Amino acid sequence: MACSKGAHTEDTSTKPPLDSGIEALRVFDFNRSYELFQHMYATSSHEDKDWPLITYNYGISAWLRTPTTAEDVTLAINLLSSVTAQYPDSIYSAAALLDLGRIAEVSDFRGDPTDVTQARIYYERVRTEFPNSEMSTRASLFLAQTYAQTLEQDKINKAISILEACILQETNEKWIGVLALYLGELYNSYLNQPDDAVDPLMLAFKSGLPRPSSADSHLWTIGMLAEKAGRDSVALEAYQRIINDYPRTVFRSVSQERIRKIQMKQPDA
């Protein structure tokens, strides 16, 4: 995330300040974006059409610039909170609530206390105030994570319920791969319930993985879990997809061997 001041090479001297600030954020030059948005914020008012954008980006720059200080984090909280108060229906308000949740959840500097309870309040606000939106889905993922990371079974089950509900929402179609992959991981790695992980992991593959380059490894995991669950037909499908779609993968030869062993168990083999 770190980007030294002046690390961007593009000449922004002729760009409007707003464009230059956004460009600095895009290349993670948070110290430069802080300077630009600080000036824009000082010369704008709540009535300006760009005020929510300026204020939100000023808050993000204050939060992420280095070195992180308590004063900057407090400034970020105040700026982001003002966006949610002044423009509660704006997409910047939804984004600000998400970021306020992350600020509460994560320690930003030495001695900075965390407040997971407050973070959950922010995430729930996004889910309530911006339902059926991408921001709501992001909030659901963050919220589920706060429960899963406790490693307590009842809270992991709560995280699973949140993810399962998201998967069922029609508006989350493009997020199903991410949601299902995390759901399968919770079942397999957190609850040690590999049988329950098979269907979500296969759903993640069919819906589109967050990292397509790892699809061969993902299919291998599905195959192995399906075999352990006694679901040989699913395992065969996973192994065959590896062979057909990823002929150069290191998992090709072992998939062929697994298929042979499964077929040997079948009565008609």
Side-chain angles (χ1 to χ4, degrees):
M1 293 278 287
C3 182
S4 62
K5 192 174 181 178
H8 58 296
T9 57
E10 183 176 353
D11 181 13
T12 61
S13 59
T14 60
K15 285 187 174 184
L18 184 57
D19 290 344
S20 296
I22 292 173
E23 173 64 17
L25 273 178
R26 189 183 68 81
V27 297
F28 309 124
D29 192 347
F30 301 119
N31 289 340
R32 174 62 175 159
S33 66
Y34 177 89
E35 294 174 355
L36 290 166
F37 284 113
Q38 181 185 46
H39 175 72
M40 285 183 275
Y41 179 80
T43 57
S44 67
S45 68
H46 292 165
E47 289 72 34
D48 294 341
K49 66 179 180 63
D50 289 325
W51 185 89
L53 174 61
I54 291 170
T55 306
Y56 173 76
N57 285 331
Y58 181 24
I60 292 300
S61 300
W63 177 30
L64 296 177
R65 76 171 183 151
T66 55
T68 306
T69 66
E71 291 74 19
D72 278 345
V73 172
T74 298
L75 174 61
I77 292 172
N78 291 337
L79 289 167
L80 296 175
S81 296
S82 68
V83 173
T84 67
Q86 295 289 332
Y87 288 84
D89 298 326
S90 167
I91 187 62
Y92 300 110
S93 177
L97 287 169
L98 274 182
D99 291 317
L100 286 167
R102 295 299 290 165
I103 291 173
E105 184 183 352
V106 178
S107 180
D108 292 298
F109 54 87
R110 182 175 296 180
D112 181 28
T114 60
D115 190 342
V116 176
T117 300
Q118 182 60 54
R120 289 172 181 158
I121 292 173
Y122 284 125
Y123 299 147
E124 288 286 13
R125 281 189 61 186
V126 178
R127 282 156 49 90
T128 301
E129 297 172 23
F130 300 89
N132 302 318
S133 68
E134 182 172 313
M135 289 299 180
S136 177
T137 306
R138 291 179 182 273
S140 295
L141 282 164
F142 285 140
L143 182 64
Q145 185 179 38
T146 67
Y147 289 111
Q149 66 191 7
T150 65
L151 302 181
E152 298 173 16
Q153 184 166 340
D154 61 329
K155 289 186 171 59
I156 295 172
N157 285 328
K158 186 174 181 63
I160 287 172
S161 296
I162 292 170
L163 297 174
E164 289 178 336
C166 278
I167 288 174
L168 294 176
Q169 293 178 11
E170 293 182 3
T171 53
N172 283 334
E173 183 177 356
K174 73 174 185 177
W175 284 89
I176 288 179
V178 175
L179 295 164
L181 185 63
Y182 188 24
L183 182 59
E185 180 66 17
L186 291 180
Y187 274 125
N188 184 42
S189 300
Y190 284 66
L191 293 182
N192 193 26
Q193 297 175 200
D195 295 11
D196 295 319
V198 174
D199 286 337
L201 292 177
M202 183 58 88
L203 176 61
F205 173 77
K206 292 181 176 179
S207 300
L209 294 171
R211 292 174 55 235
S213 60
S214 65
D216 55 340
S217 174
H218 182 76
L219 282 168
W220 174 253
T221 299
I222 293 173
M224 296 298 290
L225 291 176
E227 277 197 77
K228 290 180 181 179
R231 300 177 62 181
D232 288 349
S233 62
V234 176
L236 285 170
E237 180 183 357
Y239 296 142
Q240 195 62 57
R241 279 177 175 265
I242 290 174
I243 294 168
N244 293 343
D245 299 343
Y246 307 95
R248 296 187 178 182
T249 178
V250 295
F251 297 104
R252 177 182 171 84
S253 60
V254 287
S255 294
Q256 291 173 323
E257 179 64 16
R258 296 312 309 166
I259 289 175
R260 186 183 69 81
K261 289 188 176 181
I262 291 173
Q263 290 174 336
M264 288 177 62
K265 294 190 301 180
Q266 297 176 349
D268 296 331

